[in-house]
Amino acid sequence: MPTDRVSFYVNDELCEVEIGPHTTLLEILRDRLHLTGTKEGCGQGHCGTCTVIVNGKAVRSCTFLAKRLEGARVRTIEGLAKGGELHPVQRAFVEHGAVHCGFCTPGAIMSAVALLEANPHPSEEDIKKALERNLCRCTGYVRIIRAIEAAAQAQRAMPLPPSIPEIKPPLRTVGRPLPRPDAEAKVKGEALFAADLYFDNMLYAAVLRSAYAHARLLKVDTSRAKSMPGVVAVLTAEDVPGSKVHGVSRPDWPVLAYDKVRYVGDAVALVLAETEAQARAATEAIAVEYEPLPVVSSPEEAIAPDAPQIHEGGNLLKHIEVRRGDVAAGFASADVVIEREYRTPTTEHAFLEPEAAVARLDEHGTLVLYVGSQIPFADRRQVAASLGIPEEQVRVVHTWVGGAFGGKEDIAGQIHAALGAWVTHRPVKLVYSRQESIISHPKRHATVIRLKTGARRDGRLVALEAHILGDTGAYASLGEHVMTRTATHAAGPYDVPNVFIECNAMYTNNPPAGAFRGFGVPQSNFAIESQMDILAEELGLSPFAIRRINALRVGGTTATGQVLRESVGLMETIDRVEAEMAKYPTPEPNGEWRRGWGIACAYKNVGLGGGVDDSAGAVVEIDEEGNVSIYTGAAEVGQGLPVILPQIVAEELGVDYRQVKVVLGDTALTPDGGPTTASRQSFITGNAVRRAAIQARESLSGAVAEAWDVPPAMLVFADGQVRAGERTMSLAEAARLAKAEGRSLRAHASYTPPKTVPLGQPGDMHFAFGYATQAAEVEVNVRTGEVRVRRVIAAHDVGRALNPIAVSGQIEGGVVMGIGQALLEELVLHQGVPQNTNLRTYRIPTVTDVPEIVPILVEDPAADGPYGAKGVGEIPSIPTAAAIINAIYHACGARVYRLPATPERVREALSAAGARSKPA
């Protein structure tokens, strides 16, 4: 390929490189200069993670051709901080909680810097326009906007304080709105994600995916690919030395297809080459013979008696039933019975960091795998099984994760990268393209929910019956567990005495469906909360009244028969939302636009439940200098463990939380923290860390109390010291004293929550629940069907807000994800083939879609939670869609039964409402 040379400046340093006609600025920054703070989220100019400043303007470096660079001045995130001082925008992002996973952060900061340099006094609309091409899936954009406003005001010496909801008084450290310790590395571009790693002599991997959604695999001819330039190896199923299938829940997913392909994301062959371009080119040279089979494209097709069989055992992954009371008698006693059908689509996680994994063999022959996943220890188990080696010979090192939301619980590139390194004895990097990511990884389950509810005239629910069909796709993933949650939560956060719910999770030839924020509950919540509003109108009750009448309380019973004994803050969330709504009177109609409010409630289990082991381990270590370290196998995916866990330890040991180092998810260094799923880490790993910190403190207390001849209970740990009356000793001195006496400075603790039981058995299916009420104000254009969300009030019972900034950020991010579910997001499938496989055609909310969000933190402590905390990761995204759909109805009379509520569907609903309102 002909090459040219181009000279330009990067962060004021001259750079001269050879380029080809299609070389991009991003390639030069990342692959040649290793300035990895600039991220690649899509490679197509749609996400903004690659934003840098060229000659004073923000550009997307993934599409900026290097031939345009001659003489240019390029600024990247690495060049912003000067002399150790953060740029005002970087500092504002840290202080205002605008950093979660951190993958989109450098691009957003560079766009903000370019804006403020051109316009030092931007309005909120100016900020939104400048960032409209910078996607963020974690924060909900709210704190990004506030951070940029604060940076602009800081330039005028007018600091803007962060907005923190009212909560109970904090403890010394717990409960305070403290910034994340890892945020500084992220705003400086120093945080390393898996794709940012480079090793000497490294190979690049690429995967050939299936050409069919369903076909027998007859022959895979790799001979031509093996002879292509740079190719070192081409592997197929026969090269897998151990288990040829994997699965986080049940092993049914081939490492490399060997008998047939069941969806277009199936991996058929793995190419290892000297460059990524060579690897991808070689995949196109592999000749595969298929025998096409009939495609099962929906759960309705899958459950038909004559449906083609996707797996040998049939198309039913799991049949689930929830029973309580006598449903027939309940409906017989009802004054009003409502029956409706609701549909939710397949949706895409759209995390900004595509899947990536790097594997190498260390000097001891251990396979070291670097990956940002949600379950490092499950990765180790599955990799070891596929390589046919002991788990102890595999080390998984958790890298930063650029968003996950359930989509990084399953194996993606882990086994392929590990297999490549194992076979070639060279480091191997595998990074998915955005299209490959969308085609391959598990999605949110599409569902069909037929819901029947009966109520007395006074509004009391007496019976509920639901029939749910779920599309679990080609492989099990976590489908049976997700659909169990869909079923167990289908009655909503209400005490219904007579319940029958059945759910069938069906295999299809669509992409697998697995965990996604909310874990099956957003689907059934949309149905029950829509139904509650329909019932309220039929009974002449307000939406608030019918929910108060039926809301779960202490002493109430869930659909599974669990009696709630404590920490049920649902009623307070309802009251707080209604009070806040009263501040915003709805105006009169304005031309074609109509406004309305809608509400929805929700509850969601904390932890795995259902009798599944749910423990976590942690180590807290104090060295002789008084430094404190935490070791736990939990995965951080942006939710805030790097700030929450140090706050807990700081609370117990009386040190500055910023001095507490956290090591997460290294299977060689940390005890297993269990999966980062089910809103469990703050509760379970938080408790394990707290126990370890208390043990470490007790070890020091014993030494100091003995030296001072005082009772250990008299000692106070605060401000980095140990005190008893007027006597003080630094933590470092106490550590040295304890060590001299032979006392351990390393405390290892584990935590197992209260016992739970499987569905159908008497007892508690879950040990804790979070509760929420949200209200959405929308405006609807009755001509076009366009819907705008103006405001969302979100009250959440979180037990205890360990860090209000982190909790509020989770709520804001979840709400915006819920807006996407309500109005925008649907992975369009045709005969199993995804049609919208980039971030332009699969649209997620941008900063311009963000309404005013009012987070309200309700604290009804859980007795077993750390300081009363529960979990908040999932529930903020659950009730938003239903609140918006109910608001659309109250604005214009159009009831939408199928998500998302696109303008076309709203127009259809308006037309149907108009037809119903006409006299016969």
Side-chain angles (χ1 to χ4, degrees):
M1 180 182 294
T3 59
D4 247 329
R5 291 190 68 82
V6 64
S7 298
F8 60 102
Y9 292 87
V10 178
N11 299 328
D12 298 326
E13 291 189 13
L14 182 63
C15 177
E16 294 186 56
V17 296
E18 289 188 349
I19 63 169
H22 304 296
T23 303
T24 66
L25 173 55
L26 181 62
E27 291 175 58
I28 294 172
L29 294 176
R30 289 184 58 81
D31 296 333
R32 303 194 196 179
L33 304 180
H34 290 182
L35 293 173
T36 57
T38 303
K39 307 301 182 188
E40 181 170 1
C42 69
Q44 299 167 320
H46 301 146
C47 73
T49 62
C50 67
T51 303
V52 298
I53 298 174
V54 178
N55 296 334
K57 293 185 177 180
V59 305
R60 285 159 288 163
S61 62
C62 72
T63 58
F64 192 97
L65 292 178
K67 61 187 178 183
R68 299 172 56 194
L69 285 170
E70 184 61 41
R73 289 193 170 270
V74 178
R75 294 164 67 196
T76 73
I77 193 72
E78 290 90 347
L80 280 191
K82 300 293 185 182
E85 287 292 321
L86 294 180
H87 186 281
V89 174
Q90 292 172 312
R91 185 168 58 250
F93 267 60
V94 173
E95 294 174 349
H96 288 260
V99 182
H100 285 200
C101 81
F103 194 82
C104 74
T105 300
I109 287 175
M110 298 310 290
S111 289
V113 169
L115 166 68
L116 294 182
E117 289 179 347
N119 177 8
H121 313 300
S123 66
E124 182 173 316
E125 289 308 307
D126 293 331
I127 294 170
K128 287 185 173 182
K129 183 170 180 57
L131 268 73
E132 64 183 344
R133 288 188 163 182
N134 287 91
L135 297 179
C136 176
R137 196 62 154 164
C138 296
T139 67
Y141 303 101
V142 174
R143 295 187 183 276
I144 292 177
I145 295 169
R146 287 179 181 162
I148 297 170
E149 291 173 336
Q153 295 208 25
Q155 294 177 163
R156 304 193 298 275
M158 295 171 58
L160 182 72
S163 173
I164 301 298
E166 292 182 11
I167 55 169
K168 294 176 181 177
L171 304 174
R172 290 179 303 186
T173 304
V174 164
R176 295 190 180 278
L178 301 172
R180 299 171 59 119
D182 64 332
E184 184 166 329
K186 290 176 177 178
V187 301
K188 292 166 70 176
E190 295 173 351
L192 293 179
F193 297 78
D196 299 334
L197 300 176
Y198 294 84
F199 292 97
D200 292 338
N201 201 32
M202 187 170 73
L203 295 173
Y204 292 81
V207 178
L208 175 67
R209 304 283 172 184
S210 173
Y212 293 88
H214 198 197
R216 294 192 206 287
L217 194 60
L218 303 180
K219 183 180 180 182
V220 181
D221 183 355
T222 63
S223 57
R224 182 167 163 250
K226 287 178 177 178
S227 66
M228 292 186 69
V231 173
V232 173
V234 181
L235 307 179
T236 61
E238 64 186 20
D239 299 304
V240 178
S243 174
K244 296 188 185 304
V245 290
H246 63 84
V248 69
S249 178
R250 64 168 72 181
D252 66 350
W253 197 336
V255 174
L256 293 166
Y258 55 88
D259 58 348
K260 63 189 244 181
V261 291
R262 296 175 177 87
Y263 83 118
V264 292
D266 259 328
V268 176
L270 176 68
V271 176
L272 306 164
E274 300 291 346
T275 71
E276 185 174 11
Q278 290 170 334
R280 291 194 181 279
T283 63
E284 299 176 9
I286 299 171
V288 184
E289 292 183 22
Y290 298 94
E291 178 190 330
L293 297 169
V295 173
V296 179
S297 61
S298 71
E300 294 100 321
E301 291 179 17
I303 205 169
D306 58 348
Q309 299 296 288
I310 296 168
H311 290 273
E312 286 186 6
N315 294 341
L316 178 66
L317 170 65
K318 183 76 171 181
H319 176 76
I320 302 138
E321 288 191 1
V322 180
R323 294 179 181 272
R324 181 188 177 201
D326 184 333
V327 170
F331 280 115
S333 70
D335 296 309
V336 175
V337 176
I338 300 292
E339 294 186 67
R340 296 290 190 275
E341 181 179 282
Y342 301 88
R343 290 178 176 261
T344 68
T346 300
T347 53
E348 157 67 21
H349 296 80
F351 32 72
L352 271 294
E353 178 208 21
E355 294 86 343
V358 181
R360 67 179 181 90
L361 295 176
D362 70 11
E363 62 275 17
H364 305 294
T366 297
L367 190 289
V368 184
L369 176 68
Y370 304 86
V371 64
S373 84
Q374 294 179 246
I375 322 178
F377 283 80
D379 290 352
R380 182 180 71 170
R381 170 177 54 80
Q382 294 174 84
V383 167
S386 289
L387 296 184
I389 60 177
E391 287 188 31
E392 294 73 23
Q393 206 171 341
V394 177
R395 176 186 178 188
V396 176
V397 179
H398 177 66
T399 61
W400 295 117
V401 182
F405 320 110
K408 292 178 180 174
E409 295 188 32
D410 298 85
I411 289 291
Q414 292 96 315
I415 295 176
H416 292 153
L419 178 62
W422 190 253
V423 169
T424 65
H425 292 267
R426 291 174 62 178
V428 171
K429 178 189 284 191
L430 174 60
V431 181
Y432 282 18
S433 68
R434 176 56 59 181
Q435 181 184 31
E436 186 175 18
S437 175
I438 291 177
I439 287 172
S440 302
H441 78 247
K443 311 300 175 201
R444 178 169 302 200
H445 287 74
T447 61
V448 181
I449 301 174
R450 288 186 289 116
L451 188 60
K452 177 180 177 182
T453 48
R456 295 199 307 251
R457 185 60 59 189
D458 63 1
R460 177 70 63 185
L461 294 171
V462 292
L464 179 143
E465 183 176 329
H467 301 273
I468 304 168
L469 265 182
D471 182 352
T472 208
Y475 299 107
S477 180
L478 285 153
E480 62 184 277
H481 307 291
V482 172
M483 296 311 297
T484 297
R485 293 296 160 271
T486 306
T488 59
H489 288 64
Y494 306 112
D495 196 330
V496 188
N498 304 292
V499 173
F500 172 67
I501 301 163
E502 70 164 355
C503 176
N504 289 303
M506 304 303 302
Y507 284 118
T508 68
N509 293 122
N510 293 324
F516 196 149
R517 191 177 198 173
F519 210 79
V521 182
Q523 295 94 313
S524 53
N525 181 268
F526 162 57
I528 184 60
E529 290 300 310
S530 297
Q531 198 93 328
M532 291 296 283
D533 262 32
I534 296 168
L535 268 173
E537 184 174 48
E538 183 74 19
L539 294 167
L541 297 169
S542 77
F544 281 107
I546 196 168
R547 288 171 171 85
R548 282 198 179 92
I549 290 166
N550 295 287
L552 288 169
R553 299 164 169 81
V554 172
T557 305
T558 70
T560 66
Q562 178 172 343
V563 178
L564 302 173
R565 296 180 293 278
E566 50 115 34
S567 188
V568 186
L570 179 60
M571 285 294 288
E572 185 176 348
T573 69
I574 294 172
D575 294 343
R576 296 283 294 275
V577 166
E578 186 173 36
E580 185 68 24
M581 268 182 62
K583 300 176 183 178
Y584 307 100
T586 301
E588 294 297 316
N590 178 18
E592 296 172 340
W593 291 94
R594 305 286 186 273
R595 286 197 198 173
W597 281 95
I599 68 166
C601 297
Y603 82 135
K604 176 66 175 66
N605 58 286
V606 175
L608 303 178
V612 176
D613 174 62
D614 203 7
S615 60
V619 171
V620 171
E621 186 173 37
I622 307 169
D623 68 20
E624 293 180 70
E625 302 303 318
N627 301 309
V628 184
S629 298
I630 302 169
Y631 299 88
T632 179
E636 157 64 19
V637 296
Q639 79 277 32
L641 285 181
V643 66
I644 295 299
L645 301 183
Q647 283 185 263
I648 290 172
V649 169
E651 187 68 41
E652 298 300 334
L653 295 181
V655 297
D656 189 319
Y657 82 108
R658 291 167 295 189
Q659 295 177 298
V660 181
K661 175 186 173 185
V662 184
V663 177
L664 295 170
D666 186 327
T667 60
L669 301 178
T670 64
D672 192 351
T676 293
T677 188
S679 306
R680 64 180 290 281
Q681 288 295 2
S682 290
F683 195 110
I684 297 176
T685 293
N687 265 325
V689 166
R690 187 183 186 192
R691 286 186 174 187
I694 291 172
Q695 288 179 24
R697 188 185 69 211
E698 289 173 347
S699 183
L700 300 189
S701 294
V704 176
E706 187 175 300
W708 287 349
D709 195 22
V710 298
M714 185 177 175
L715 300 178
V716 174
F717 285 70
D719 303 319
Q721 295 181 322
V722 186
R723 300 172 186 159
E726 298 298 318
R727 305 177 75 172
T728 64
M729 179 185 295
S730 71
L731 193 71
E733 291 173 309
R736 289 193 289 270
L737 179 63
K739 184 174 182 181
E741 294 185 359
R743 298 176 187 266
S744 176
L745 300 181
R746 182 179 174 90
H748 185 169
S750 61
Y751 176 76
T752 300
K755 180 183 177 182
T756 61
V757 299
L759 175 63
Q761 294 186 14
D764 293 348
M765 192 174 177
H766 299 289
F767 56 80
F769 294 92
Y771 301 87
T773 301
Q774 292 185 8
E777 184 187 22
V778 306
E779 53 184 7
V780 184
N781 188 304
V782 294
R783 179 180 63 84
T784 67
E786 181 184 356
V787 178
R788 300 173 185 160
V789 182
R790 296 178 52 84
R791 183 176 290 109
V792 175
I793 302 165
H796 286 258
D797 168 24
V798 301
R800 175 83 191 221
L802 298 176
N803 184 310
I805 286 183
V807 172
S808 297
Q810 288 294 301
I811 292 172
E812 291 156 357
V815 164
V816 173
M817 191 171 279
I819 291 171
Q821 181 191 4
L823 301 178
L824 300 171
E825 297 187 42
E826 179 172 8
L827 185 68
V828 179
L829 299 164
H830 177 68
Q831 288 295 292
V833 180
Q835 303 297 296
N836 44 339
T837 58
N838 60 53
L839 294 178
R840 179 182 63 82
T841 54
Y842 186 90
R843 192 184 159 208
I844 66 173
T846 72
V847 68
T848 60
D849 297 305
V850 175
E852 177 187 357
I853 300 175
V854 183
I856 299 172
L857 306 187
V858 171
E859 296 184 313
D860 193 334
D864 294 300
Y867 313 98
K870 296 192 279 193
V872 73
E874 295 176 287
I875 194 170
S877 68
I878 292 174
T880 313
I884 290 170
I885 297 304
N886 286 337
I888 291 170
Y889 178 82
H890 291 296
C892 64
R895 172 67 63 182
V896 177
Y897 294 96
R898 181 172 191 156
L899 295 179
T902 60
E904 180 182 26
R905 287 174 183 159
V906 173
R907 290 197 304 270
E908 290 173 356
L910 282 163
S911 179
R916 286 195 301 272
S917 66
K918 292 178 182 178

